Amino acid sequence: PLTLEVKRQKRAQKHTQARRLTQEQIRPGTPEPVEGRVHVHVQTELYLEEISDRIIEVDGECQTDEFLDRPPTPLFIPAKSGKDVSTQIEKGELFDFDIEVKPILEVLVGKTVEQALLEVMEEEELSQLWSHQRAFAELRNAEFAELQRLEEQDRRIREEKERRRLEHLEKLRKQKETAEKIAARAFAQRYLADLIPSVFNNLHDSGFFYDPIERDIETEFLPWLMSEAEEELQKKVLGRMLLDSLIRMVVETRLDEFSRPPPAAQTKGPAEEPGATDAAPEMSGEEDAADQPAAEKEETDQPGAEEEPS
């Protein structure tokens, strides 16, 4: 039985080593770091352990009170009951020790050997369980690392897809914006083709484009000429008004003179003083001839004054 157990243990160890080598060969290695980066060993256990050069030590003290010495506990002796009876057994009456102790020794030795075998088998089973646990932990760590690698690869693929999608959307947006700009430029050119001449015509009609000499004549010379002509006309009008006022005064004076009745001496002897009377009509005739237009104008302005002497 011991030889079979040893052979089985050896076979189990060989199988474990072969399985470990196979897993190491199947397990993909860590790729080389890219340029500018290095690999760093990290803890992949479930619970992280802080690693430090010096273990943290804390001193603690406890103060206890002194106790008095306790007296030893007396031995418990139960109360005696019943009666003492004794029996005398001679040697060889009950059993033979050499004969009766043999099955007991066989049982004890058998149980001891069986217990020892059980302990050895338990230890072997524990070692196999530990080896299985180590193999399972290695396999789990390998699967976890592979899962992390796949998740990282999937994340990179998703990020690349998202980046490509955003680039495509940006490209479409730029194309649309370019098409809109081209269309707007064509529309603006087509719209401004007729707008610019009309705008220039309107500006020219409004007077924004002008000849500086013509503008200078219109703004400087013509106003000056008009003001000078107006002053000259005002002077002429003023002269005419003064002349009209003089003529009016003369006419009014003569009307007053003619409207007076002649004196009696002049009516009785007109032939005695012909010079004065003849000179007066001749002067009046000359003045009438000179002032005829003004008198006619005055007569037209003052009809009541003409009616009065008549």
Side-chain angles (χ1 to χ4, degrees):
L2 296 176
T3 305
L4 294 175
E5 185 69 25
V6 171
K7 289 181 179 181
R8 188 164 55 250
Q9 292 177 2
K10 289 182 178 180
R11 282 199 303 272
Q13 291 178 357
K14 289 181 180 180
H15 181 68
T16 304
Q17 292 178 357
R19 184 178 178 183
R20 185 180 302 172
L21 291 175
T22 305
Q23 290 179 356
E24 289 179 356
Q25 292 176 359
I26 293 174
R27 180 181 178 183
T30 304
E32 294 296 330
V34 298
E35 186 177 357
R37 298 185 179 181
V38 295
H39 288 314
V40 178
H41 294 285
V42 296
Q43 295 182 2
T44 57
E45 286 78 7
L46 185 58
Y47 300 100
L48 298 178
E49 180 182 358
E50 184 179 0
I51 299 175
S52 60
D53 296 337
R54 183 175 179 275
I55 299 175
I56 300 174
E57 297 178 356
V58 179
D59 295 335
E61 296 180 357
C62 180
Q63 180 66 35
T64 57
D65 298 333
E66 295 182 357
F67 293 97
L68 298 176
D69 294 336
R70 183 179 177 183
T73 303
L75 183 63
F76 175 74
I77 300 174
K80 186 176 181 181
S81 62
K83 296 180 179 180
D84 296 336
V85 177
S86 62
T87 302
Q88 180 67 32
I89 298 174
E90 298 295 338
K91 185 177 180 181
E93 289 183 355
L94 295 177
F95 61 92
D96 190 357
F97 179 78
D98 295 335
I99 296 172
E100 298 295 337
V101 82
K102 188 174 181 180
I104 296 174
L105 288 176
E106 290 178 356
V107 171
L108 292 175
V109 171
K111 288 292 183 181
T112 304
V113 172
E114 185 179 0
Q115 187 67 27
L117 290 175
L118 288 175
E119 291 179 358
V120 171
M121 291 175 65
E122 184 178 359
E123 291 178 357
E124 183 64 24
E125 186 176 0
L126 288 175
S127 64
Q128 290 182 0
L129 288 175
W130 290 341
S131 63
H132 283 298
Q133 287 180 356
R134 286 193 298 271
F136 176 75
E138 293 176 357
L139 181 61
R140 185 188 63 183
N141 294 333
E143 290 178 354
F144 185 70
E146 183 67 17
L147 178 62
Q148 288 182 345
R149 187 184 66 81
L150 293 176
E151 288 179 353
E152 184 67 20
Q153 184 179 0
D154 184 50
R155 185 184 64 80
R156 289 198 299 268
I157 292 173
R158 282 190 282 105
E159 290 180 355
E160 183 68 19
K161 286 182 178 180
E162 185 68 19
R163 186 175 62 82
R164 293 290 179 85
R165 187 179 68 83
L166 294 177
E167 288 180 355
H168 183 65
L169 292 177
E170 184 68 18
K171 183 179 178 181
L172 292 178
R173 187 184 66 79
K174 288 184 178 180
Q175 290 179 357
K176 183 178 178 182
E177 185 178 357
T178 305
E180 290 178 354
K181 287 182 179 180
I182 293 172
R185 184 173 179 272
F187 176 75
Q189 288 180 352
R190 188 168 57 255
Y191 179 73
L192 294 175
D194 299 331
L195 182 62
I196 293 175
S198 62
V199 169
F200 277 104
N201 292 330
N202 292 331
L203 292 175
H204 188 273
D205 295 338
S206 300
F208 288 95
F209 301 104
Y210 55 86
D211 188 2
I213 299 175
E214 183 179 356
R215 175 58 64 88
D216 192 11
I217 292 173
E218 291 177 356
T219 57
E220 299 293 337
F221 178 71
L222 289 180
W224 174 80
L225 182 61
M226 294 298 292
S227 63
E228 293 294 330
E230 187 176 359
E231 290 179 1
E232 190 68 24
L233 290 175
Q234 286 179 0
K235 289 179 181 180
K236 289 182 179 182
V237 170
L238 182 60
R240 288 179 181 179
M241 291 176 65
L242 291 174
L243 181 61
D244 292 340
S245 63
L246 291 174
I247 292 171
R248 182 179 297 177
M249 291 173 63
V250 171
V251 171
E252 288 178 356
T253 304
R254 288 190 177 186
L255 284 175
D256 292 338
E257 290 179 356
F258 286 123
S259 63
R260 295 174 185 175
Q266 292 179 1
T267 58
K268 288 181 179 181
E272 294 179 359
E273 295 177 359
T277 57
D278 293 338
E282 289 176 1
M283 185 180 294
S284 63
E286 291 174 359
E287 289 177 359
D288 291 339
D291 300 332
Q292 186 176 1
E296 290 176 357
K297 183 178 180 181
E298 190 68 27
E299 286 175 0
T300 56
D301 295 337
Q302 296 179 0
E306 291 293 335
E307 291 176 358
E308 190 174 358
S310 65

